[in-house]
């Protein structure tokens, strides 16, 4: 049902088909909407969403009911010293030499193995054959878990993401998410306990051994973080790598520029995060009445921050509905930090701890895909269609290409 000024409801089929058209109406006429079905205020303008992410008056108390039932208590729900210490325990594994030396080879190997399954075929569905598996396989291997469990973790990941995006409150989806929490705990807790006794070079061992100011992580803390990593780390990269390729295929001149100069891959990723973000909405809860640019949100209410709209706010970005790897109002040097201009990794104290991991995965995956598919093109008669509400990306991405002839032995 459209609102008074014509923006379709976010739970409608019209919105699901093309949220960007609705975002334009919201940004222009309805930047603050009370949404009865989700019992939340929809906020769309860049200025307001950025404030909700950065200002301490906006809390993550909503995660107590939104995330905790499926993950357990995570770093996203913490504040103050508890948050800073817990972030200090996990963040080093996702940046600098730890990421470069320990986990880059894991990322490269997983990309290569998936591409090997189709590099000689001349065709691929980049979503089903690569994007959906790549980040989950990487996470399983980073944690030092049995590679035979890839399919099991893929199922758990799908269940968790469905739970988090269950805005219509489907009881079957909710029940499946709760079962997944139990199954994941039954699997991971014994592994964590065993790993404490036999530390290795894997991420799980790093989390078991981490200590800051006398504080370490309990078995439940580590399990909850792994569950969060599975969802947040998998979903952003899954959707992003398919969306980067889709955006470039739909803009052939920019694809050729990136193919010729691989240093442009981070630019293409940053612009994709702005133009077609993997996560379209994140919720916050104000601890006091907050005056936004066009109205007030009351203390204790739920605020749904529409990232997909804010990233296309013409008050912040020039020609926001155009994909442009070379735009000058989205600096690449800050695009994967808490100073990013886009809002897809949030901002402030809860900026995505895995942003550099996602960047590395995209760089490696895109580089190998461009090498394997030198003349990649969309398959005839199959224009890619996006799907999803809470998270969004191509439902499928059929590509054809000329297989590269291997060099003689």
């Amino acid at each position: 049902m459209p609102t008074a000024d014509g923006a379709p409801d976010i739970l409608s089929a019209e919105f699901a088909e093309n949220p960007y058209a609705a975002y334009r109406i919201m940004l222009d006429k309805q930047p603050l909407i009370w949404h009865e079905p989700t019992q939340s205020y929809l906020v769309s303008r860049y200025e307001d969403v950025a404030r909700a992410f950065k200002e301490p008056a906006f809390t993550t108390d909503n995660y107590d009911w939104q995330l905790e039932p499926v993950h357990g208590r995570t770093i996203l729900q913490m504040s103050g010293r508890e948050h800073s210490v817990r972030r200090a325990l996990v963040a080093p594994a996702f940046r600098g030499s730890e990421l470069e030396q320990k986990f880059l080879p894991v990322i490269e190997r997983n990309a290569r193995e998936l591409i090997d399954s189709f590099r000689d075929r001349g065709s691929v569905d980049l979503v089903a054959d690569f994007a959906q598996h790549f980040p989950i396989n990487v996470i399983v291997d980073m944690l030092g878990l049995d590679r035979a469990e890839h399919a099991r973790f893929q199922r758990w990941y799908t269940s968790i993401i469905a739970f988090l995006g269950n805005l219509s409150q489907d009881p079957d989806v909710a029940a499946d998410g709760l079962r997944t929490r139990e199954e994941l705990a039954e699997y991971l807790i014994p592994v964590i306990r065993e790993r404490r006794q036999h530390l290795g070079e894997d991420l799980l061992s790093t989390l078991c051994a981490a200590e800051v100011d006398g504080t370490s992580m309990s078995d439940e803390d580590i399990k909850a973080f792994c569950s969060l990593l599975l969802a947040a780390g998998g979903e952003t990269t899954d959707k992003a790598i398919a969306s980067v390729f889709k955006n470039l295929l739909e803009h052939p001149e920019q694809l050729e520029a990136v193919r010729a100069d691989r240093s442009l891959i981070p630019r293409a990723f940053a612009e994709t995060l702005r133009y077609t973000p993997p996560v379209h909405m994140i919720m916050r809860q104000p601890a006091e009445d907050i005056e936004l640019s066009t109205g007030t949100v009351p203390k204790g209410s739920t605020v749904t921050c529409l990232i997909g709209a804010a990233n296309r706010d013409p008050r912040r970005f020039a020609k926001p509905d155009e994909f442009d790897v070379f735009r000058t109002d989205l600096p690449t040097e800050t695009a994967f930090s808490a100073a990013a201009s886009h809002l897809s990794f949030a901002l402030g104290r809860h900026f995505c701890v895995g942003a550099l991991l996602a960047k590395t995965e995209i760089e490696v995956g895109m580089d190998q895909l461009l090498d394997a598919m030198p003349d990649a093109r969309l398959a005839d008669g199959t224009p890619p269609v996006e799907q999803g509400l809470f998270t969004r990306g191509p439902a499928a991405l059929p590509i054809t290409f000329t297989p590269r002839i291997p060099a003689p032995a």
Side-chain angles (χ1 to χ4, degrees):
M1 176 183 296
T3 59
D5 286 319
D9 186 275
I10 64 169
L11 299 182
S12 68
E14 183 182 354
F15 184 91
E17 183 178 353
N18 181 14
Y20 303 106
Y23 292 155
R24 284 193 291 273
I25 297 172
M26 292 178 183
L27 286 165
D28 183 34
K29 298 179 179 180
Q30 297 176 282
L32 180 63
I33 301 172
W34 168 250
H35 187 248
E36 188 69 26
T38 59
Q39 292 289 293
S40 71
Y41 288 89
L42 308 182
V43 178
S44 54
R45 286 188 179 171
Y46 184 97
E47 172 191 351
D48 295 332
V49 173
R51 282 186 61 195
F53 288 159
K54 290 190 294 186
E55 292 186 6
F58 284 91
T59 75
T60 56
D61 290 350
N62 54 287
Y63 287 153
D64 292 350
W65 55 264
Q66 190 182 11
L67 299 187
E68 187 165 345
V70 72
H71 287 315
R73 192 163 186 269
T74 72
I75 189 174
L76 294 179
Q77 294 153 265
M78 300 173 188
S79 59
R81 185 179 183 278
E82 182 186 28
H83 175 265
S84 61
V85 170
R86 191 57 52 82
R87 192 175 179 96
L89 286 168
V90 302
F94 297 94
R95 65 186 183 217
S97 60
E98 189 87 359
L99 177 59
E100 184 78 18
Q101 295 171 15
K102 278 190 179 181
F103 302 128
L104 180 58
V106 173
I107 296 168
E108 292 173 334
R109 182 183 70 240
N110 275 284
R112 183 173 59 252
E113 288 175 352
L114 285 169
I115 293 170
D116 282 347
S117 69
F118 61 78
R119 69 170 73 242
D120 297 328
R121 288 206 318 245
S123 64
V124 62
D125 177 351
L126 199 66
V127 173
D129 296 332
F130 186 84
Q132 288 182 344
H133 302 284
F134 177 44
I136 305 305
N137 292 0
V138 166
I139 289 168
V140 170
D141 287 3
M142 285 177 66
L143 290 170
L145 302 174
D146 187 350
R147 302 193 85 203
E149 300 288 359
H150 280 176
R152 194 176 186 185
F153 272 85
Q154 190 76 39
R155 178 172 59 80
W156 285 335
Y157 154 71
T158 302
S159 172
I160 292 170
I161 290 301
F163 181 96
L164 298 178
N166 188 23
L167 296 184
S168 62
Q169 297 300 302
D170 184 314
D172 293 335
V173 172
D176 187 61
L178 297 178
R179 281 195 300 271
T180 291
R181 173 176 171 167
E182 294 176 1
E183 291 174 8
L184 188 60
E186 288 174 1
Y187 173 85
L188 268 182
I189 295 294
V191 176
I192 292 167
R193 290 172 179 166
E194 189 278 334
R195 201 65 53 88
R196 288 191 189 278
Q197 302 301 316
H198 304 92
L199 296 176
E201 294 299 312
D202 54 86
L203 176 59
L204 204 55
S205 295
T206 299
L207 297 174
C208 287
E211 183 176 326
V212 172
D213 296 338
T215 298
S216 57
M217 299 176 72
S218 69
D219 295 349
E220 176 60 27
D221 291 337
I222 295 173
K223 188 276 300 178
F225 180 77
C226 291
S227 179
L228 178 64
L229 177 64
L230 189 65
E235 187 71 353
T236 53
T237 307
D238 170 355
K239 298 291 189 291
I241 198 161
S243 293
V244 173
F245 231 93
K246 169 184 175 290
N247 291 336
L248 289 173
L249 286 165
E250 291 177 339
H251 299 82
E253 292 182 0
Q254 295 184 55
L255 172 60
E256 288 310 309
V258 172
R259 193 190 307 281
D261 180 2
R262 304 300 171 82
S263 70
L264 293 176
I265 292 175
R267 276 182 168 270
F269 181 28
E271 174 64 345
T272 291
L273 288 172
R274 184 202 68 80
Y275 181 70
T276 50
V279 179
H280 271 237
M281 53 188 71
I282 291 178
M283 294 178 178
R284 290 289 188 264
Q285 187 169 312
E288 59 191 53
D289 291 354
I290 302 289
E291 185 71 28
L292 296 178
S293 62
T294 61
T296 301
V297 290
K299 174 183 177 180
S301 60
T302 299
V303 176
T304 299
C305 302
L306 298 177
I307 296 171
N311 278 345
R312 292 198 182 199
D313 190 339
R315 297 159 191 80
R316 180 61 183 82
F317 297 104
K319 299 180 179 178
D321 293 324
E322 293 183 9
F323 178 81
D324 183 6
V325 168
F326 300 102
R327 67 168 53 248
T328 58
D329 51 7
L330 187 68
T332 310
E333 58 270 19
T334 59
F336 309 101
S337 74
S341 297
H342 66 82
L343 301 176
S344 296
F345 287 135
L347 296 173
R349 65 194 182 283
H350 287 293
F351 176 80
C352 177
V353 73
L356 290 179
L357 171 62
K359 176 176 180 285
T360 303
E361 289 176 307
I362 296 295
E363 288 178 334
V364 169
M366 286 293 297
D367 192 48
Q368 291 195 25
L369 287 167
L370 290 170
D371 281 345
M373 303 186 294
D375 58 351
R377 55 203 177 272
L378 290 170
D380 292 340
T382 53
V385 176
E386 288 186 356
Q387 69 176 9
L389 174 61
F390 176 70
T391 61
R392 189 172 179 86
L397 194 61
I399 293 172
T400 58
F401 60 95
T402 304
R404 300 190 70 168
I405 299 174

